[in-house]
Amino acid sequence: MSSLSDTRLDGRQIAGRRILLGISAGIAAYKSAQLARLLTQAGAEVRVVMTEGAQAFIAPLTLQALTGEAVRTSLLDPEAEAGMGHIELARWADTILIAPATADLMARLAMGLADDLLTTLCLASDADKVMAPAMNQAMWRHPATRRNAAQLADDGWRLLGPASGDQACGDVGPGRMLEPEAILEALLAPAPGVAIPPTDGDGDGDGDAAGLHLVITAGPTREPLDPVRYLSNHSSGKMGYALAAAAAALGARVTLISGPVALATPEGVERLDVETASEMHAAAQRLASECDLFIGCAAVADYRAESPADHKIKKREGEESLTLRLVKNPDIIAEVAARADRPFVVGFAAETRDLEAYARDKLARKGLDMIVANDVSQAGLGFGADDNAALLLWRDGEGESGEALPPQPKAALARAVIERALERRRAAATD
Ligand code: C5P
């Protein structure tokens, strides 16, 4: 991660911002003190609102000492209202940042409830809205939380993280709040539509993704056979996550639709966790019309069980074989590309032979604008590896030989792929 003394992190874009820091009832609330301190050090005006439960984890006085402002905790507090009424406070903020955001708070916000000061402010404010979810991994994976996260993203919230790893409850998995430094860095990424200076180093703005929304699918899908078994594949998600990180670094708003992987969410990236191809399909369809560029990097299972068993499938005495009936999954990227309001669409082709021919066929058959073809038969490259090489092919490029990107770390390859996709998209728009 960049250090706080980076030129990009010198407080330029934080100084003078009026940030309403919302804290809800999670153990990660102890990190909110550090976050408040970093924000004020960077020159922001910070006012803190805590939910009732948050006060069990961290004392309002701590936040008051760090921000120099009284902490608000109640909607019906005549004394506080006499100072700055809650509607005035909602108008005052240019950014509402909730860290940590618990599952309960996410549910209440997704429903548009206004049953305490923090939810009321969120509903009453036009500010840029950002949250860093934090909760137990099972709560984060629960379909209800996934629905709420998708709804909040739809409503314009930027979700930062959560990261994966050890949890306070002893579990391991997604649900850890991003570190305060990472939240600060993500705040520096532009809100959609806000321009930032070119970041590609050559100063001409090529590859600059400010103001664009990218949706990227990544990782494998899991297709349940019964409550304990599933069909899946070896995709690590590394390439898709590298693409998301590269796009965010170029200033894009990035939504990562991720299958189950053991990777931390790149900084500044909104992540929607899914398990099955059907869930990935639904999320992609929902986001397709509002994004500028869609990249299908997920290794989607081609088939799923026609009817997953409700109970664990038992071994049967005397039966040496078991027949599973599979049905085809939707082709997610082809459906995005077939929409009338389609974004620029980039697909991946992992092949073990006849790379170019198969990739060209996929490009045409799925209606893609560009395809990134990998030869996954090469040792040390592709699936699970840290390095990759690729052949880029694009629509209307039949006569051209494409562009070969040599073996390199996935982060560097991802950057090159994003830059080429942005160039091609720009060229297609001006044709
Ligand atoms: O057909 P194949 O799986 O080789 O195509 C790979 C490309 O199509 C990738 O971009 C992958 O993410 C996408 N895909 C998809 N939905 C599927 C199968 C593949 O989006 N059901």
Side-chain angles (χ1 to χ4, degrees):
M1 197 202 319
S2 335
S3 80
L4 292 176
S5 59
D6 263 12
T7 46
R8 226 168 61 77
L9 292 179
D10 61 3
R12 240 177 324 126
Q13 296 168 61
I14 290 284
R17 266 165 87 166
R18 295 194 300 266
I19 299 177
L20 196 149
L21 175 61
I23 305 178
S24 61
I27 177 61
Y30 79 92
K31 296 185 185 172
S32 308
Q34 171 69 354
L35 181 58
R37 186 168 166 72
L38 290 176
L39 290 169
T40 48
Q41 278 178 337
E45 277 184 65
V46 181
R47 292 186 181 215
V48 176
V49 171
M50 295 173 72
T51 63
E52 197 184 333
Q55 298 163 59
F57 291 93
I58 183 167
L61 198 57
T62 307
L63 279 307
Q64 179 176 318
L66 292 169
T67 61
E69 294 284 342
V71 172
R72 300 278 301 257
T73 53
S74 158
L75 182 57
L76 306 172
D77 176 348
E79 206 175 301
E81 285 289 305
M84 188 190 264
H86 64 273
I87 297 294
E88 224 180 313
L89 186 55
R91 292 200 190 113
W92 169 86
D94 58 37
T95 304
I96 294 183
L97 166 64
I98 303 184
T102 59
D104 174 70
L105 183 68
M106 289 176 68
R108 289 189 289 132
L109 288 171
M111 283 185 69
L113 293 185
D115 56 355
D116 65 3
L117 179 61
L118 185 53
T119 50
T120 303
L121 290 169
C122 291
L123 212 53
S125 175
D126 289 336
D128 187 20
K129 299 198 182 77
V130 186
M131 67 167 67
M135 65 198 72
N136 163 268
Q137 56 82 23
M139 294 170 78
W140 174 252
R141 290 186 212 266
H142 194 283
T145 306
R146 280 201 236 137
R147 259 194 326 270
N148 293 333
Q151 182 62 56
L152 289 166
D154 254 10
D155 292 348
W157 280 90
R158 255 195 308 154
L159 273 64
L160 309 177
S164 278
D166 291 338
Q167 301 206 295
C169 55
D171 280 6
V172 179
R176 283 168 60 94
M177 188 172 94
L178 289 194
E179 293 304 321
E181 290 80 2
I183 294 175
L184 188 72
E185 193 163 352
L187 273 190
L188 290 166
V194 178
I196 60 161
T199 52
D200 58 346
D202 60 8
D204 65 4
D206 275 351
D208 185 3
L212 297 181
H213 183 189
L214 271 75
V215 172
I216 301 173
T217 67
T221 65
R222 269 184 197 169
E223 312 299 330
L225 301 176
D226 66 18
V228 295
R229 304 184 180 96
Y230 54 81
L231 288 175
S232 191
N233 57 63
H234 289 300
S235 170
S236 64
K238 283 180 187 169
M239 191 64 213
Y241 274 59
L243 289 165
L250 285 167
R253 173 183 169 197
V254 183
T255 309
L256 185 57
I257 307 176
S258 176
V261 296
L263 297 173
T265 310
E267 282 152 27
V269 168
E270 298 159 28
R271 167 168 159 184
L272 295 178
D273 281 326
V274 296
E275 296 235 334
T276 64
S278 303
E279 289 170 2
M280 189 173 275
H281 177 243
Q285 285 295 319
R286 204 175 50 245
L287 291 167
S289 61
E290 65 168 67
C291 69
D292 303 290
L293 216 156
F294 181 95
I295 305 182
C297 191
V300 184
D302 289 329
Y303 293 90
R304 66 176 183 276
E306 185 173 46
S307 34
D310 289 335
H311 297 285
K312 190 176 169 191
I313 300 169
K314 292 287 178 202
K315 268 197 295 287
R316 296 223 184 111
E317 283 309 315
E319 289 187 22
E320 294 308 311
S321 65
L322 169 73
T323 304
L324 290 171
R325 198 173 157 74
L326 304 179
V327 292
K328 220 174 192 160
N329 272 328
D331 192 314
I332 298 168
I333 203 166
E335 287 195 25
V336 170
R339 294 171 66 105
D341 57 356
R342 54 173 283 155
F344 190 86
V345 182
V346 178
F348 273 70
E351 307 292 346
T352 52
R353 63 194 169 100
D354 297 332
L355 182 65
E356 183 167 347
Y358 280 126
R360 278 198 196 282
D361 171 63
K362 236 165 247 184
L363 180 71
R365 196 161 32 82
K366 297 187 185 230
L368 311 178
D369 295 298
M370 182 173 137
I371 196 157
V372 185
N374 317 112
D375 180 350
V376 286
S377 67
Q378 292 186 53
L381 299 180
F383 266 18
D386 291 326
D387 284 10
N388 211 351
L391 174 68
L392 303 187
L393 301 166
W394 37 86
R395 183 201 278 272
D396 304 328
E398 282 83 6
E400 305 169 35
S401 54
E403 180 179 354
L405 299 174
Q408 54 194 303
K410 282 182 176 170
L413 190 79
R415 174 80 173 214
V417 167
I418 296 285
E419 286 182 346
R420 289 316 176 278
L422 293 171
E423 284 159 23
R424 287 279 153 187
R425 177 181 170 276
R426 244 193 319 269
T430 52
D431 271 356

